[in-house]
């Protein structure tokens, strides 16, 4: 089954979405006066928190760190913090930084994660976006090779920049993660400090590790599994982050 797509300019994808950014884009976002949110998740070396078939992709975009007596793989996302309309969306629902918009914006509506297939029903685009226009996917394959290249660039940036992100987080005092699949820890760092730290890490020849990570989990049952693996779990209430639970109520 083929999937056509044509953007109708509704602007819905530019509302209430935290857009993942590369390091250069995060630095630009801060320079433009925007807020960056830091989202952190991790899985343990024993595979807790990760389906087996996703392991290779997840490992390549994560930093190998320590938590207690075990190793963990931490994935860190720097994203544009958008509550309501994106700060760059004008009154006509047009992007005011279109020529330098983030890579993920250029890729939409495609998915970056190779384990998540495109699902029109999960997108904000209205039905008419999927009723007409050129074919986006034919026979399960993406038609636009330029778009395919942008997706690969985004995945590669995730892999290439993870050590620098870990070093940036260490300097900002970000050292608590959620377990992948259980939730995210979310930080809203001061943007002046954030920009300074990005520049500091960029000048280093090699980003070093900033010490062990702790896990914030959704309940005692998850905590028991994490502790049994040798990792450390926080017991205090969050002071500099929020925990976003993915657990069904």
């Amino acid at each position: 089954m083929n999937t056509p797509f044509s953007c109708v300019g509704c602007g819905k994808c530019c509302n209430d979405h935290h857009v993942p950014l590369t390091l250069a884009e995060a630095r630009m976002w801060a320079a433009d006066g925007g807020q960056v949110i830091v989202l952190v998740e991790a899985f343990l070396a024993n595979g807790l928190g990760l389906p087996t078939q996703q392991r290779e992709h997840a490992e390549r975009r994560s930093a190998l760190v320590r938590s207690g007596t075990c190793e963990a793989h931490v994935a860190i996302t720097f994203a544009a913090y958008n509550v309501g309309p994106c700060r760059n969306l004008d009154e006509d629902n047009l992007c005011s930084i279109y020529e330098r918009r983030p890579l993920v914006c250029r890729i939409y509506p495609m998915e970056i994660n190779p384990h998540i297939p495109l699902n029109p029903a999960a997108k904000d685009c209205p039905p008419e976006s999927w009723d007409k226009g050129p074919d986006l996917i034919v026979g399960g394959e993406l038609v636009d090779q330029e778009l395919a290249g942008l997706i690969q660039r985004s995945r590669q940036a995730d892999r290439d920049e993870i050590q620098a992100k870990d070093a940036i987080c260490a300097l900002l005092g970000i050292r608590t993660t959620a377990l992948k699949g259980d939730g995210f820890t979310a930080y809203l760092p001061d943007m002046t400090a954030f920009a300074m730290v990005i520049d500091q890490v960029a000048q280093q020849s090699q980003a070093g590790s900033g010490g062990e990570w702790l896990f914030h989990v959704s309940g005692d049952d998850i905590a028991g599994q994490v502790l049994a693996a040798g990792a450390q779990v926080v017991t205090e209430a969050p002071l500099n982050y929020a925990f976003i639970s993915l657990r069904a109520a």
Side-chain angles (χ1 to χ4, degrees):
M1 181 177 178
N2 298 346
T3 303
F5 176 77
S6 179
C7 178
V8 297
C10 69
K12 291 183 178 179
C13 61
C14 303
N15 282 264
D16 294 314
H17 284 281
H18 301 328
V19 178
L21 304 169
T22 65
L23 277 180
E25 291 167 351
R27 183 64 179 85
M28 181 188 73
W29 199 266
D32 287 347
Q35 175 69 53
V36 171
I37 186 170
V38 180
L39 300 168
V40 190
E41 60 176 349
F43 65 95
L44 301 182
N46 67 4
L48 180 63
L50 182 72
T52 303
Q53 66 272 21
Q54 298 184 22
R55 184 163 187 131
E56 180 182 1
H57 171 69
E59 284 186 352
R60 294 181 70 184
R61 65 182 301 271
S62 62
L64 184 62
V65 301
R66 293 210 62 81
S67 178
T69 60
C70 79
E71 291 183 331
H73 297 263
V74 173
I76 302 163
T77 300
F78 293 167
Y81 182 66
N82 292 321
V83 176
C86 173
R87 65 191 309 277
N88 296 305
L89 193 67
D90 66 21
E91 62 273 10
D92 297 317
N93 278 334
L94 299 176
C95 178
S96 62
I97 61 164
Y98 188 80
E99 295 302 322
R100 59 186 182 95
R101 69 195 187 281
L103 188 57
V104 167
C105 297
R106 299 171 186 268
I107 292 166
Y108 192 86
M110 292 301 297
E111 300 288 353
I112 305 303
N113 189 328
H115 298 287
I116 301 178
L118 175 62
N119 178 9
K123 298 296 180 178
D124 291 330
C125 308
E128 55 265 31
S129 297
W130 309 98
D131 292 338
K132 57 183 179 180
D135 283 331
L136 182 64
I137 297 174
V138 174
E141 298 294 331
L142 182 61
V143 174
D144 189 333
Q145 291 306 299
E146 181 179 356
L147 180 55
L150 293 176
I151 293 172
Q152 290 302 319
R153 276 179 53 195
S154 179
R155 291 175 183 168
Q156 193 62 48
D158 269 351
R159 300 162 185 166
D160 293 343
E161 297 175 349
I162 185 59
Q163 297 300 331
K165 288 179 180 177
D166 183 32
I168 290 165
C169 284
L171 291 170
L172 291 172
I174 295 174
R175 269 301 179 263
T176 300
T177 178
L179 182 68
K180 185 175 178 64
D182 188 48
F184 293 91
T185 51
Y187 299 78
L188 291 174
D190 174 81
M191 283 295 92
T192 299
F194 182 77
M196 290 177 60
V197 167
I198 286 183
D199 292 343
Q200 178 181 341
V201 170
Q203 294 169 7
Q204 298 174 356
S205 59
Q206 184 175 2
S209 175
E212 74 168 2
W213 284 78
L214 307 176
F215 280 83
H216 185 124
V217 296
S218 63
D220 291 342
D221 53 341
I222 303 295
Q225 296 178 62
V226 172
L227 289 168
Q232 292 293 306
V233 174
V234 296
T235 56
E236 304 83 8
L239 294 178
N240 64 336
Y241 68 90
F243 176 71
I244 303 173
S245 179
L246 297 178
R247 194 172 189 174

